[in-house]
Amino acid sequence: MEVNKGIAAAVFLALPGLVASLSNLRATVVTGAFVQLEWERGKGAEREFEVAWGKGSSVLLSANSSTATVTDLEPGTSYLFTVTTVADSRELKRSLHVRTASLRLHELWRNQLQVAWHSGFKNRKAVRMAYKVQWNITSRALSSNYTSNQTTFVNSTEAEILQIPVPHYARIAVCVQIRQQEDEWSRKICDSLTTPSGKPGKVRDLTVIPDDRSLRLTWEDPGDTPPTGELDRVSIDVSNTCKRLWTYNEPIHNLINGSGKWAFTVRHLQPDSDYTIEVRVWNKGSAGSDVVSRKARTLPGVPSPPRALLAIPWNTSQVLLSWAPPIRPQGILVNYTVLVDGKVDTCEEDTLQVHRCKIKGLTPGESYRTEVAACNRLHCNLAIAAEVAMPSARALPVWIPVLLAFLLLIVLGFLPFMLWRSKKLVDRLNERIRPGKKAVLASDKPAENQTPNPDVHVYDDPYTLGVLYAPQVSQTDSPLGEDQRQNSISGVVYANLPASTEHQYANIH
């Protein structure tokens, strides 16, 4: 690369003495902007030195010089330096190939950028060099206009000049100048670098707006300054108290964006149920952000009406309502509302458990419209209605006909048994009847030829159900007259015998 002929470096005298020869030419300091040369000179007549490099670039030095600093060189460029002694009759010439160092930007871990000389750097005598470093950082994200400019001064004896903290997904341009003399700096040596995308930060202001079967999510982009990359997609996990239900991976451009916020609606949820929402975002070619979670509960829906409403008059002033719960409660029911002619009535029963209610204080003989509505914590459904006519005051309570009908069923159930038992009794009585004469009273003066009855007469009393009696005949005084006596049987009352039974007494004439 050509160097402007008017560019030259300051020359400093090193050792006093006369120059007669030139040897051991070397470069002691090599950077990207200047090179410091040294040589050894012998004793002799005073001669001048000429240092030349490039095309037409040279500098004339005095005889006392043994070092030369050449500045404003191009970084990463090869130069041929020639040092020549100028004499009357002869010349001594020495040449040296030197390649200047190039500036290198290297990204280290933890977002650190290293600014250093790459190859060809030399500093054999550890000369402390002063640098002026300027850098500019610009975000690569299209949605960001972030930019940053900084300048710093550092001293270094090594190839590394300094380390700069840099963000992800940015374009960094660094320029370095080397101090040549007091308040004089070399030309700028610049290099640039782009950093890759990184892990984004958490989404901000995640808000959940519940509905009966959906949850609407809104959030803002991560607050990274500058952005760590171009947002590519969003991941939304939905779970209930038991397990993870769904995972949505949506490209970011498919989402609704308004007023600087993103929006997404999670659907097909159950009413009045608890859910956990987790949201994270992903940059192109990087890992996902940390999770931001919210707990939410869907709203109850409008429940379906109760079923099979039945209104029965309990008496002349009370009605018993009964019903079945709704098929779709759309959440947790909190109560049943009972209305009579459009006015809310109170129930003593726990209607959520028993599904019935007794309404009191009605007027006999009037008709009423009864309604029952199922209610959750947010909605009541359209009530189911039933008409009921109250009986008049003269009418019997409803439980009396029920009781009479029950007693009638009991009587009809025992009637066959009673008929069967009566028939058995009649049959047994008929078996005990024997033909003979009617019993007569014996005279208190028995006939001469009358003899005691040797037979023992056994009577079967039907009212004692087969208990046998052995009556004894005796003659006692009778109220019928002095000449008559009544036969009596010990322990037997003849009045208990049926009239159809005839008792035959043998040996009575």
Side-chain angles (χ1 to χ4, degrees), residues 22-333:
L22 174 64
S23 62
N24 197 16
L25 178 62
R26 61 190 181 276
T28 57
V29 177
V30 178
T31 67
F34 76 88
V35 172
Q36 183 175 334
L37 302 175
E38 289 189 3
W39 62 87
E40 295 179 359
R41 60 184 177 83
K43 294 181 180 181
E46 181 177 340
R47 296 291 185 271
E48 294 180 341
F49 295 93
E50 182 184 26
V51 179
W53 68 93
K55 295 182 179 180
S57 298
S58 62
V59 63
L60 187 63
L61 304 178
S62 66
N64 294 327
S65 300
S66 62
T67 63
T69 301
V70 181
T71 61
D72 289 333
L73 302 178
E74 292 291 334
T77 305
S78 296
Y79 290 94
L80 176 62
F81 292 95
T82 302
V83 179
T84 306
T85 61
V86 180
D88 294 337
S89 59
R90 60 187 181 91
E91 292 183 353
L92 294 177
K93 183 182 294 186
R94 297 287 184 271
S95 298
L96 179 67
H97 287 277
V98 177
R99 182 179 180 83
T100 55
S102 57
L103 186 66
R104 185 188 68 170
L105 305 181
H106 177 65
E107 185 180 10
L108 303 176
W109 65 296
R110 292 184 179 179
N111 296 344
Q112 292 290 322
L113 182 67
Q114 183 189 56
V115 181
W117 300 115
H118 180 37
S119 59
F121 174 81
K122 294 180 181 180
N123 190 6
R124 295 178 178 179
K125 294 186 176 182
V127 176
R128 191 175 186 85
M129 289 171 284
Y131 297 96
K132 179 181 180 181
V133 183
Q134 297 173 306
W135 67 89
N136 170 263
I137 299 176
T138 305
S139 175
R140 297 168 57 194
L142 299 178
S143 59
S144 175
N145 56 359
Y146 174 86
T147 183
S148 174
N149 295 286
Q150 296 188 47
T151 302
T152 187
F153 297 89
V154 296
N155 296 315
S156 176
T157 60
E158 305 293 336
E160 180 182 286
I161 300 173
L162 83 163
Q163 293 184 10
I164 303 173
V166 293
H168 287 290
Y169 206 63
R171 182 177 295 104
I172 299 100
V174 180
C175 292
V176 176
Q177 290 178 280
I178 307 172
R179 186 190 298 273
Q180 300 177 153
Q181 293 181 1
E182 189 70 24
D183 297 330
E184 183 180 348
W185 299 90
S186 68
R187 70 169 61 185
K188 291 182 179 180
I189 302 173
C190 300
D191 195 9
S192 61
L193 177 73
T194 57
T195 55
S197 59
K199 177 180 177 181
K202 298 179 180 179
V203 298
R204 297 178 297 157
D205 299 332
L206 176 61
T207 305
V208 181
I209 303 174
D211 203 349
D212 56 346
R213 290 186 175 272
S214 63
L215 295 173
R216 181 175 175 82
L217 312 179
T218 61
W219 68 89
E220 293 184 5
D221 287 339
D224 303 323
T225 305
T228 57
E230 294 286 355
L231 291 179
D232 180 50
R233 59 189 174 95
V234 60
S235 172
I236 302 173
D237 293 329
V238 182
S239 59
N240 57 16
T241 55
C242 300
K243 62 179 181 179
R244 179 170 294 179
L245 301 178
W246 301 287
T247 297
Y248 298 91
N249 287 298
E250 292 292 330
I252 200 72
H253 57 79
N254 289 349
L255 303 182
I256 302 173
N257 186 10
S259 302
K261 290 188 176 181
W262 301 95
F264 182 80
T265 300
V266 180
R267 305 183 187 275
H268 310 297
L269 303 179
Q270 294 299 319
D272 206 13
S273 301
D274 291 319
Y275 293 94
T276 300
I277 306 297
E278 296 181 347
V279 178
R280 68 174 69 188
V281 290
W282 304 71
N283 285 331
K284 292 181 180 179
S286 71
S289 67
D290 293 333
V291 169
V292 176
S293 63
R294 293 287 185 274
K295 294 184 181 295
R297 186 178 183 89
T298 52
L299 299 178
V302 178
S304 59
R307 298 170 291 129
L309 176 62
L310 183 63
I312 303 175
W314 188 253
N315 52 36
T316 57
S317 62
Q318 298 181 2
V319 169
L320 180 64
L321 299 180
S322 64
W323 62 87
I327 297 177
R328 295 180 299 277
Q330 302 287 16
I332 300 176
L333 296 180

